[in-house]
PDB file of all heavy atoms in Angstrom:
ATOM      1  N   ALA A 473      -8.523  35.206  41.922  1.00  0.00           N
ATOM      2  CA  ALA A 473      -8.181  35.846  40.641  1.00  0.00           C
ATOM      3  C   ALA A 473      -7.424  34.883  39.735  1.00  0.00           C
ATOM      4  O   ALA A 473      -7.683  34.799  38.524  1.00  0.00           O
ATOM      5  CB  ALA A 473      -7.349  37.107  40.909  1.00  0.00           C
ATOM      6  N   SER A 474      -6.492  34.128  40.322  1.00  0.00           N
ATOM      7  CA  SER A 474      -5.729  33.151  39.533  1.00  0.00           C
ATOM      8  C   SER A 474      -6.641  32.062  38.985  1.00  0.00           C
ATOM      9  O   SER A 474      -6.508  31.629  37.838  1.00  0.00           O
ATOM     10  CB  SER A 474      -4.619  32.533  40.389  1.00  0.00           C
ATOM     11  OG  SER A 474      -3.698  33.513  40.809  1.00  0.00           O
ATOM     12  N   LEU A 475      -7.569  31.613  39.822  1.00  0.00           N
ATOM     13  CA  LEU A 475      -8.489  30.572  39.386  1.00  0.00           C
ATOM     14  C   LEU A 475      -9.379  31.057  38.266  1.00  0.00           C
ATOM     15  O   LEU A 475      -9.685  30.315  37.332  1.00  0.00           O
ATOM     16  CB  LEU A 475      -9.320  30.100  40.583  1.00  0.00           C
ATOM     17  CG  LEU A 475     -10.245  28.896  40.327  1.00  0.00           C
ATOM     18  CD1 LEU A 475      -9.461  27.707  39.822  1.00  0.00           C
ATOM     19  CD2 LEU A 475     -11.000  28.548  41.599  1.00  0.00           C
ATOM     20  N   ARG A 476      -9.820  32.322  38.370  1.00  0.00           N
ATOM     21  CA  ARG A 476     -10.644  32.873  37.283  1.00  0.00           C
ATOM     22  C   ARG A 476      -9.858  32.873  35.967  1.00  0.00           C
ATOM     23  O   ARG A 476     -10.406  32.596  34.893  1.00  0.00           O
ATOM     24  CB  ARG A 476     -11.094  34.288  37.624  1.00  0.00           C
ATOM     25  CG  ARG A 476     -12.115  34.362  38.744  1.00  0.00           C
ATOM     26  CD  ARG A 476     -12.656  35.774  38.903  1.00  0.00           C
ATOM     27  NE  ARG A 476     -13.497  35.884  40.076  1.00  0.00           N
ATOM     28  CZ  ARG A 476     -14.780  35.531  40.098  1.00  0.00           C
ATOM     29  NH1 ARG A 476     -15.352  35.030  39.004  1.00  0.00           N
ATOM     30  NH2 ARG A 476     -15.495  35.662  41.202  1.00  0.00           N
ATOM     31  N   MET A 477      -8.555  33.186  36.011  1.00  0.00           N
ATOM     32  CA  MET A 477      -7.725  33.163  34.807  1.00  0.00           C
ATOM     33  C   MET A 477      -7.596  31.744  34.256  1.00  0.00           C
ATOM     34  O   MET A 477      -7.663  31.523  33.047  1.00  0.00           O
ATOM     35  CB  MET A 477      -6.334  33.729  35.114  1.00  0.00           C
ATOM     36  CG  MET A 477      -6.311  35.232  35.370  1.00  0.00           C
ATOM     37  SD  MET A 477      -4.630  35.859  35.619  1.00  0.00           S
ATOM     38  CE  MET A 477      -3.917  35.531  34.012  1.00  0.00           C
ATOM     39  N   ILE A 478      -7.427  30.778  35.170  1.00  0.00           N
ATOM     40  CA  ILE A 478      -7.326  29.387  34.718  1.00  0.00           C
ATOM     41  C   ILE A 478      -8.613  28.950  34.035  1.00  0.00           C
ATOM     42  O   ILE A 478      -8.595  28.291  32.980  1.00  0.00           O
ATOM     43  CB  ILE A 478      -7.010  28.465  35.915  1.00  0.00           C
ATOM     44  CG1 ILE A 478      -5.598  28.754  36.440  1.00  0.00           C
ATOM     45  CG2 ILE A 478      -7.148  26.995  35.525  1.00  0.00           C
ATOM     46  CD1 ILE A 478      -5.268  28.020  37.718  1.00  0.00           C
ATOM     47  N   ILE A 479      -9.746  29.315  34.619  1.00  0.00           N
ATOM     48  CA  ILE A 479     -11.046  28.955  34.032  1.00  0.00           C
ATOM     49  C   ILE A 479     -11.198  29.585  32.650  1.00  0.00           C
ATOM     50  O   ILE A 479     -11.639  28.940  31.693  1.00  0.00           O
ATOM     51  CB  ILE A 479     -12.192  29.386  34.970  1.00  0.00           C
ATOM     52  CG1 ILE A 479     -12.166  28.549  36.253  1.00  0.00           C
ATOM     53  CG2 ILE A 479     -13.539  29.256  34.267  1.00  0.00           C
ATOM     54  CD1 ILE A 479     -13.141  29.043  37.310  1.00  0.00           C
ATOM     55  N   ALA A 480     -10.798  30.863  32.554  1.00  0.00           N
ATOM     56  CA  ALA A 480     -10.895  31.547  31.259  1.00  0.00           C
ATOM     57  C   ALA A 480      -9.985  30.900  30.234  1.00  0.00           C
ATOM     58  O   ALA A 480     -10.327  30.778  29.046  1.00  0.00           O
ATOM     59  CB  ALA A 480     -10.550  33.025  31.426  1.00  0.00           C
ATOM     60  N   ASP A 481      -8.779  30.471  30.655  1.00  0.00           N
ATOM     61  CA  ASP A 481      -7.855  29.821  29.734  1.00  0.00           C
ATOM     62  C   ASP A 481      -8.354  28.452  29.301  1.00  0.00           C
ATOM     63  O   ASP A 481      -8.151  28.022  28.163  1.00  0.00           O
ATOM     64  CB  ASP A 481      -6.474  29.679  30.380  1.00  0.00           C
ATOM     65  CG  ASP A 481      -5.740  31.012  30.445  1.00  0.00           C
ATOM     66  OD1 ASP A 481      -6.130  31.931  29.685  1.00  0.00           O
ATOM     67  OD2 ASP A 481      -4.786  31.132  31.242  1.00  0.00           O
ATOM     68  N   LEU A 482      -8.995  27.741  30.208  1.00  0.00           N
ATOM     69  CA  LEU A 482      -9.492  26.420  29.861  1.00  0.00           C
ATOM     70  C   LEU A 482     -10.520  26.487  28.740  1.00  0.00           C
ATOM     71  O   LEU A 482     -10.427  25.770  27.742  1.00  0.00           O
ATOM     72  CB  LEU A 482     -10.124  25.756  31.094  1.00  0.00           C
ATOM     73  CG  LEU A 482      -9.162  25.121  32.094  1.00  0.00           C
ATOM     74  CD1 LEU A 482      -9.907  24.686  33.331  1.00  0.00           C
ATOM     75  CD2 LEU A 482      -8.422  23.945  31.458  1.00  0.00           C
ATOM     76  N   ARG A 483     -11.487  27.344  28.870  1.00  0.00           N
ATOM     77  CA  ARG A 483     -12.499  27.507  27.823  1.00  0.00           C
ATOM     78  C   ARG A 483     -13.286  28.773  28.107  1.00  0.00           C
ATOM     79  O   ARG A 483     -14.240  28.767  28.889  1.00  0.00           O
ATOM     80  CB  ARG A 483     -13.459  26.312  27.772  1.00  0.00           C
ATOM     81  CG  ARG A 483     -14.506  26.410  26.650  1.00  0.00           C
ATOM     82  CD  ARG A 483     -13.882  26.273  25.284  1.00  0.00           C
ATOM     83  NE  ARG A 483     -14.817  26.596  24.215  1.00  0.00           N
ATOM     84  CZ  ARG A 483     -14.535  26.474  22.905  1.00  0.00           C
ATOM     85  NH1 ARG A 483     -13.343  26.041  22.542  1.00  0.00           N
ATOM     86  NH2 ARG A 483     -15.411  26.785  21.999  1.00  0.00           N
ATOM     87  N   PRO A 484     -12.879  29.905  27.492  1.00  0.00           N
ATOM     88  CA  PRO A 484     -13.594  31.153  27.754  1.00  0.00           C
ATOM     89  C   PRO A 484     -15.030  31.091  27.236  1.00  0.00           C
ATOM     90  O   PRO A 484     -15.248  30.734  26.075  1.00  0.00           O
ATOM     91  CB  PRO A 484     -12.761  32.191  26.990  1.00  0.00           C
ATOM     92  CG  PRO A 484     -12.057  31.407  25.935  1.00  0.00           C
ATOM     93  CD  PRO A 484     -11.782  30.063  26.519  1.00  0.00           C
ATOM     94  N   ALA A 485     -15.967  31.421  28.074  1.00  0.00           N
ATOM     95  CA  ALA A 485     -17.377  31.398  27.652  1.00  0.00           C
ATOM     96  C   ALA A 485     -17.633  32.371  26.526  1.00  0.00           C
ATOM     97  O   ALA A 485     -18.493  32.150  25.668  1.00  0.00           O
ATOM     98  CB  ALA A 485     -18.272  31.733  28.848  1.00  0.00           C
ATOM     99  N   ALA A 486     -16.840  33.465  26.491  1.00  0.00           N
ATOM    100  CA  ALA A 486     -17.050  34.482  25.448  1.00  0.00           C
ATOM    101  C   ALA A 486     -16.784  33.931  24.061  1.00  0.00           C
ATOM    102  O   ALA A 486     -17.350  34.413  23.072  1.00  0.00           O
ATOM    103  CB  ALA A 486     -16.145  35.690  25.715  1.00  0.00           C
ATOM    104  N   LEU A 487     -15.916  32.920  23.945  1.00  0.00           N
ATOM    105  CA  LEU A 487     -15.617  32.368  22.623  1.00  0.00           C
ATOM    106  C   LEU A 487     -16.855  31.741  22.010  1.00  0.00           C
ATOM    107  O   LEU A 487     -17.110  31.880  20.810  1.00  0.00           O
ATOM    108  CB  LEU A 487     -14.488  31.332  22.735  1.00  0.00           C
ATOM    109  CG  LEU A 487     -13.966  30.750  21.413  1.00  0.00           C
ATOM    110  CD1 LEU A 487     -13.408  31.841  20.517  1.00  0.00           C
ATOM    111  CD2 LEU A 487     -12.894  29.694  21.681  1.00  0.00           C
TER     112      LEU A 487
END
Side-chain angles (χ1 to χ4, degrees):
S474 298
L475 186 57
R476 290 188 187 278
M477 290 184 64
I478 292 173
I479 292 172
D481 286 341
L482 280 172
R483 182 69 190 184
L487 185 60

